[in-house]
Amino acid sequence: MSIFNELAPQHRLMPEAYRELSTEEMERRVRAIKEKHGDELLIPGHHYQRDEVIQFADVTGDSLELARLAAQNTRARHIVFCGVHFMAETCDILTQEEQTVVLPDMRAGCSMADMANMAQTEIAWRLLTEQVGDTILPLTYVNSTAEIKAFVGRHGGATVTSSNARQVIAWALKQKKRILFLPDQHLGRNTAYQLGIPLEQMAVWDPYAKRLETDRDPEDLRILLWKGHCSVHEKFTVAQIEEFRRSDPEVRVIVHPECTYDVVMAADDAGSTKYIIDRINEAPTGSKWAVGTEMNLVRRLAARHPEQQIVSLNPDLCPCLTMNRIDLPHLLWSLESIDRGETTGIIRVSQDIAEDAKAALARMFEHV
Ligand code: 13P
Ligand code: SF4
C-alpha cells in the first residue's frame, strides 16, 4: 500500500506551534524525554537523516544495519524510526508484538518504493510466467512496501539491501533460471553486471506498458528489472564525473549503486551507503572525493573529515526530500505524543503481510 493511502485520521499532522519553538527549547525537551524513558525508547536513524535529528539517534546505520538492530532489540517499547516509511515497516515486521514503531512524519515515504504496487506486480508476474513458466524468482530491494516484500516471500524470494544485493542475487540465480528484481532497475542491473551477467541478458519490465522493453526472446533473459529508480541517485551524471576529472585529476569518484549503470561504470568506485562511509573513513589525509549519494550524508562526511576534501558529485542536488521530512520539530512532536500516552504515526503491518514479508527478510539474512 502506498503511504498516501495510510494517511488515515489517526496520523495527524504536527501542530504548527512546534515550528515556533527555538532549537534550544526543542533539543532540551527531546533530551528530557530520552532521559525519562531510558532504554524503553529507541531512536534508530538512517545515515541520510538531517544532523538535527541524527544527533539524537541511539543507533545509526544503513537499511541493512537498522533492520538487523531492529530484529535484535527486544527491550524498547517505543521505537521512533528516523528514516522513511518502508524502513519503519521493516522494523515493525522484525520487532515483537508489544513493541510500537513510530514514524515521526507519515509523509516520509520513498518515491522509489511507491514505483511498484501490488496490482502492477501481480500483473507482471502473471504475464511473465505465461511467457517463461516457473523459472523466475522474485527479489525486492528493501526499499519497497511491506506488501511487495510479502509477495516476494510468498513466491520463495528474498529482500536485498544495497550492502548484500550481490550475495542475494548470486543465491537467487542458483534457485531459478532468472530473477525479477523490484523496484530499482539500477541496483539490479549494476549488481547483476558485477556478477558477470551481460547486459544483453537483462531487460526492463515497464509496469505501465505491461511489457518487457526488449526485442529479445524472453527465454534468453536472466534479469528482469522493474522500471523504478531513486529520484535522488538518478540525478548524478557521467558529465558531472568528467567535469570533476577535468578540474582535478586527483579526485576519486565514489557512487551508490542506485545511480545509473553509466555513472557506476564511469566512477572509480561504487558501493552501498555503508561501503561509501567505510572507504572515506579509511582514506588517508589529503584524499579528494566527489561522492554520488544523498546530500545530508555527504555534508556529514565532509564535516567529520576536515583532513580530506569531500564534495557532492552534484553540488546542486537537494537532499532526499522525504528523508528530510523528519526534522527536529517532528521528532519532538512524536516523542511528546508517546510521553503523553497519545502516540501518533504508528506503523503497524497486518499479521498476514508481516508473516510473508518476514520470510523474504529471513531468506536475505540467511544468505549474508
Ligand atoms: P542503503 O541504506 O541500503 O544504502 O540504501 C540507500 C537508500 O536509498 C535508503 O533509502
Ligand atoms: Fe527513496 Fe532514494 Fe530517498 Fe532512499 S534516497 S528514501 S531510495 S528516494
Side-chain angles (χ1 to χ4, degrees), residues 48 84 110-112 143 230-233 258 320 322-323:
Y48 295 175
V84 288
C110 163
S111 53
M112 177 201 284
N143 300 26
C230 164
S231 36
V232 175
H233 289 93
E258 285 175 20
C320 170
T322 47
M323 278 274 179

Side-chain angles (χ1 to χ4, degrees), residues 46-48 61-64 84 86-87 110 112 141-143 160-163 230 233 256-258 271-274 293-294 320 323:
H46 189 273
H47 290 304
Y48 295 175
D62 64 4
S63 31
L64 179 64
V84 288
F86 73 80
M87 297 178 183
C110 163
M112 177 201 284
Y141 194 12
V142 285
N143 300 26
V160 316
T161 74
S162 55
S163 300
C230 164
H233 289 93
H256 193 282
E258 285 175 20
S272 67
T273 304
K274 176 171 166 39
T293 193
E294 207 276 341
C320 170
M323 278 274 179

Side-chain angles (χ1 to χ4, degrees), residues 125-353:
W125 189 253
R126 181 170 53 76
L127 296 177
L128 287 167
T129 50
E130 272 170 22
Q131 290 180 65
V132 294
D134 178 21
T135 62
I136 314 172
L137 195 76
L139 297 181
T140 186
Y141 194 12
V142 285
N143 300 26
S144 54
T145 63
E147 277 182 315
I148 298 291
K149 291 184 181 80
F151 172 91
V152 165
R154 276 197 298 282
H155 290 87
T159 57
V160 316
T161 74
S162 55
S163 300
N164 61 28
R166 208 179 152 135
Q167 293 100 303
V168 180
I169 293 180
W171 162 80
L173 289 171
K174 287 188 199 130
Q175 316 306 307
K176 289 275 174 84
K177 183 171 177 192
R178 50 184 69 84
I179 60 166
L180 171 63
F181 191 93
L182 297 118
D184 183 19
Q185 58 169 305
H186 303 304
L187 180 66
R189 183 181 296 107
N190 290 324
T191 314
Y193 187 78
Q194 252 193 337
L195 284 166
I197 297 174
L199 294 181
E200 302 77 63
Q201 291 179 14
M202 306 185 202
V204 170
W205 173 265
D206 181 337
Y208 291 96
K210 302 187 182 73
R211 64 174 201 88
L212 285 168
E213 292 181 341
T214 182
D215 296 330
R216 285 180 182 271
D217 182 346
E219 273 303 334
D220 300 335
L221 302 171
R222 298 200 70 205
I223 311 289
L224 312 173
L225 301 162
W226 194 266
K227 194 173 186 173
H229 64 268
C230 164
S231 36
V232 175
H233 289 93
E234 258 205 356
K235 299 271 175 0
F236 299 106
T237 64
V238 174
Q240 291 157 359
I241 297 179
E242 286 166 353
E243 182 52 37
F244 266 102
R245 293 222 169 101
R246 253 195 309 276
S247 62
D248 187 349
E250 283 180 14
V251 167
R252 278 182 68 73
V253 178
I254 188 164
V255 301
H256 193 282
E258 285 175 20
C259 295
T260 64
Y261 170 81
D262 291 344
V263 166
V264 169
M265 286 297 115
D268 297 298
D269 205 351
S272 67
T273 304
K274 176 171 166 39
Y275 179 87
I276 293 173
I277 295 170
D278 290 348
R279 290 294 76 72
I280 292 178
N281 284 346
E282 291 159 2
T285 299
S287 299
K288 296 178 181 179
W289 299 98
V291 187
T293 193
E294 207 276 341
M295 198 64 146
N296 283 327
L297 175 61
V298 179
R299 284 203 198 107
R300 196 170 304 126
L301 285 169
R304 194 186 296 157
H305 292 286
E307 80 291 358
Q308 301 183 39
Q309 181 187 300
I310 300 166
V311 292
S312 171
L313 178 56
N314 179 353
D316 300 325
L317 190 70
C318 297
C320 170
L321 293 175
T322 47
M323 278 274 179
N324 266 260
R325 287 201 185 272
I326 314 293
D327 55 11
L328 186 54
H330 279 91
L331 176 61
L332 176 62
W333 172 55
S334 178
L335 292 173
E336 294 196 330
S337 78
I338 291 170
D339 192 50
R340 283 195 308 272
E342 296 166 4
T343 309
T344 54
I346 296 175
I347 303 290
R348 177 96 52 215
V349 177
S350 71
Q351 193 62 35
D352 52 334
I353 291 176

Side-chain angles (χ1 to χ4, degrees), residues 22-37:
S22 71
T23 303
E24 293 71 31
E25 170 73 3
M26 287 189 280
E27 289 183 346
R28 187 188 60 71
R29 282 159 61 171
V30 169
R31 268 195 291 274
I33 292 183
K34 275 177 67 88
E35 210 162 294
K36 177 172 167 195
H37 290 264

